Amino acid sequence: MSRPHVFAANWKMNLGPAAAAGFFDRFLPLCPPEPGRRLLFFPSALSLHVVAAATRERADIEVGAQNLFWERAGAFTGELAAPMLAEAGASFTLVGHSERRHVFGETVEDTVRKCVAAAEAELGVVLCVGETLEERRQGRAQDVVRAQLLPVLDMVSPHPQRWMVAYEPAWAIGTGENAAPDDAQEMHAAVREMLGASGGMTPVLYGGSVKPQNVAELLRCADVDGVLVGGASLDPGDFAAICAGGS
Ligand code: PGA
């Protein structure tokens, strides 16, 4: 079965509302819609409104939050609930990004709660999984990814249009050193197997130092359905080149 290619931009703590609007002024003419291609943007929550408005005419572009809290409302200072994110224009959310896990101490249990809350609010999820360098060196990469993925699958039944997995080895994020295509393919095939019956329909994205220069070789891998891009998604020209399949 052929799955559409997905190009996702994770802007992290960059591009406030004014810069986000400026990004789309340049990006949209560079990247017209293409059949069978989905684009996803994960701006700062403060820029969600602007990004949703700038992309309203583009059915191929969806907008998501980078994080959420699992309660629907209440005394949780500084947190953002799934229904609020949906109201601000999000139709997706990232869950379990490596920086959430390793910088902010998010546990597997936290990611499960977040995925359940997202599903209740009808937000799609891109669940990020991946091992550290030490875990890879110890030969435990697939075990680590399985331990991040299976508890979520126990609690939510993935909806094919609204559920993706992003394999992002922690050692490849923001380092300039992407996974070798063969290593990415091996993990993606393993993830697809872990996904069981939904594996054939679930987009499995690769993330970690994706650039215009390496995206083509990654997309050639049979089980790499798209990419989740951090640093190189901040520049409209670079991200448009990535969405075109690379240079
Ligand atoms: P990077 O980040 O492309 O800057 O390595 C990827 C990510 O964190 O999603």
Side-chain angles (χ1 to χ4, degrees), residues 10-227:
N10 173 13
W11 284 355
K12 310 191 183 187
M13 200 172 70
N14 297 291
L15 307 190
F23 177 98
F24 283 102
D25 287 345
R26 285 187 56 205
F27 177 78
L28 293 177
L30 292 174
C31 192
E34 255 186 30
R37 180 178 72 181
R38 291 171 81 181
L39 308 186
L40 267 167
F41 283 87
F42 294 94
S44 141
L46 289 178
S47 301
L48 272 174
H49 248 109
V50 165
V51 175
T55 59
R56 190 158 293 139
E57 307 291 314
R58 290 283 299 261
D60 58 322
I61 300 183
E62 292 162 281
V63 182
Q66 296 174 10
N67 185 33
L68 76 162
F69 188 53
W70 52 80
E71 295 289 348
R72 291 181 69 84
F76 303 102
T77 301
E79 294 297 326
L80 297 170
M84 293 173 182
L85 294 166
E87 194 183 334
S91 56
F92 264 87
T93 180
L94 295 178
V95 174
H97 187 274
S98 165
E99 285 143 23
R100 299 300 320 166
R101 294 181 196 265
H102 298 298
V103 181
F104 298 100
E106 188 164 294
T107 65
V108 170
E109 292 70 32
D110 295 340
T111 64
V112 172
R113 289 192 191 104
K114 290 180 179 192
C115 288
V116 170
E120 279 170 8
E122 297 187 354
L123 285 183
V125 168
V126 177
L127 178 69
C128 304
V129 297
E131 80 286 358
T132 63
L133 189 56
E134 196 186 348
E135 289 161 344
R136 173 156 285 266
R137 286 192 177 133
Q138 292 166 345
R140 300 198 295 124
Q142 285 193 18
D143 291 344
V144 168
V145 166
R146 187 175 292 105
Q148 292 169 339
L149 185 54
L150 296 193
V152 171
L153 293 175
D154 282 347
M155 292 303 292
V156 294
S157 20
H159 182 298
Q161 282 300 313
R162 316 190 63 75
W163 169 253
M164 303 183 195
V165 175
Y167 168 57
E168 298 202 303
W171 48 269
I173 294 177
T175 60
E177 195 192 322
N178 60 290
D182 285 354
D183 291 338
Q185 168 55 28
E186 191 181 352
M187 183 63 88
H188 280 235
V191 165
R192 209 174 289 295
E193 211 167 297
M194 292 172 208
L195 286 166
S198 64
M201 292 172 298
T202 304
V204 183
L205 316 184
Y206 168 80
S209 296
V210 175
K211 312 181 258 289
Q213 297 78 6
N214 62 16
V215 66
E217 63 182 21
L218 290 160
L219 290 175
R220 270 197 292 273
C221 301
D223 287 294
V224 175
D225 302 316
V227 287

Side-chain angles (χ1 to χ4, degrees), residues 10-12 14 174 209-210 228-235 238-239 242:
N10 173 13
W11 284 355
K12 310 191 183 187
N14 297 291
S209 296
V210 175
L228 176 56
V229 187
S233 73
L234 297 172
D235 179 86
D238 283 350
F239 193 56
I242 288 172

